Amino acid sequence: SRTKGLKMQVEELPIKGVLKLTPKIYKDNRGLFLETWQKKRYEEFGVPTEFVQDNLSISSKNVLRGLHFQKEHPQGKLITLLKGKIFDVVVDFRKDSPTFGQWAGTYLSAENFEQLWIPPGLAHGFLVCSDEALFNYKCTEYYYPQDEKTILWNDPTLEIEWPLSASPILSAKDECGTSFEAEAK
């Protein structure tokens, strides 16, 4: 874990380039304040500074979304958790990466507004561990529905250790995902 200017804690996950960021929070009797994005600071850690789209996601407990990625138009994503707690998972799809085919997972909590930087070329999914989760994410590429791919959340090749407390709530798209091996060809 490293800190620059005591403004933010940054931890690199086992997948190269994936960063967990914890911004500095300023609290007083009125509430709190924090920066969720600041070009110069994030640039210092290698997070790109050009985003083309912001998205908002709200999900209920036990909802599992993913694992999604775009093959021809890969998206980098900066996720900011605003409410709740999730278990966030990335799978490395970059064929030239030393961690190709590996996954990493981490909890994100809105108690400290944790963020996750996911470089382009990774599949992404998450499980909601609280009653509800709300997060915003910035994307480095536009969403192309025809290019979106889904890997099965429970692909036996990946062996992702989801912290399930009940059967996950899945979309039809996520129930019908394909295997990592089929998509990695």
Side-chain angles (χ1 to χ4, degrees), residues 13-46:
L13 295 188
I15 304 292
K16 184 165 178 52
V18 178
L19 302 176
K20 185 174 182 176
L21 306 117
T22 306
K24 174 75 175 157
I25 299 173
Y26 301 91
K27 293 182 182 182
D28 64 21
N29 63 331
R30 301 167 297 161
L32 63 83
F33 172 85
L34 69 140
E35 289 180 347
T36 59
W37 167 250
Q38 202 249 47
K39 182 179 177 178
K40 283 184 185 177
R41 184 170 306 111
Y42 284 71
E43 207 169 39
E44 289 178 42
F45 295 107

Side-chain angles (χ1 to χ4, degrees), residues 2-143:
R2 23 178 208 177
T3 304
K4 285 201 177 182
L6 299 177
K7 299 284 185 192
M8 179 167 53
Q9 289 183 322
V10 180
E11 170 192 351
E12 187 165 12
L13 295 188
I15 304 292
K16 184 165 178 52
V18 178
L19 302 176
K20 185 174 182 176
L21 306 117
T22 306
K24 174 75 175 157
I25 299 173
Y26 301 91
K27 293 182 182 182
D28 64 21
N29 63 331
R30 301 167 297 161
L32 63 83
F33 172 85
L34 69 140
E35 289 180 347
T36 59
W37 167 250
Q38 202 249 47
K39 182 179 177 178
K40 283 184 185 177
R41 184 170 306 111
Y42 284 71
E43 207 169 39
E44 289 178 42
F45 295 107
V47 176
T49 58
E50 185 174 330
F51 293 98
V52 299
Q53 180 175 321
D54 278 17
N55 300 321
L56 187 69
S57 175
I58 302 173
S59 300
S60 301
K61 187 175 182 94
N62 296 321
V63 166
L64 193 153
R65 296 184 189 264
L67 301 157
H68 304 144
F69 71 104
Q70 291 187 171
K71 211 165 196 170
E72 300 302 318
H73 304 277
Q75 294 177 305
K77 297 175 182 176
L78 178 63
I79 295 168
T80 304
L81 202 60
L82 303 172
K83 177 183 179 184
K85 183 178 180 180
I86 63 173
F87 184 70
D88 207 293
V89 171
V90 294
V91 177
D92 196 344
F93 248 89
R94 303 167 295 185
K95 291 191 177 183
D96 59 345
S97 171
T99 53
F100 173 75
Q102 295 179 30
W103 70 274
T106 189
Y107 285 98
L108 298 178
S109 171
E111 285 183 20
N112 53 10
F113 297 92
E114 289 172 320
Q115 298 178 304
L116 193 66
W117 163 244
I118 305 168
L122 281 77
H124 174 244
F126 64 90
L127 172 68
V128 179
C129 303
S130 53
D131 288 339
E132 184 176 68
L134 165 66
F135 65 86
N136 174 270
Y137 58 104
K138 304 174 92 47
C139 300
T140 61
E141 178 60 271
Y142 295 104
Y143 173 64

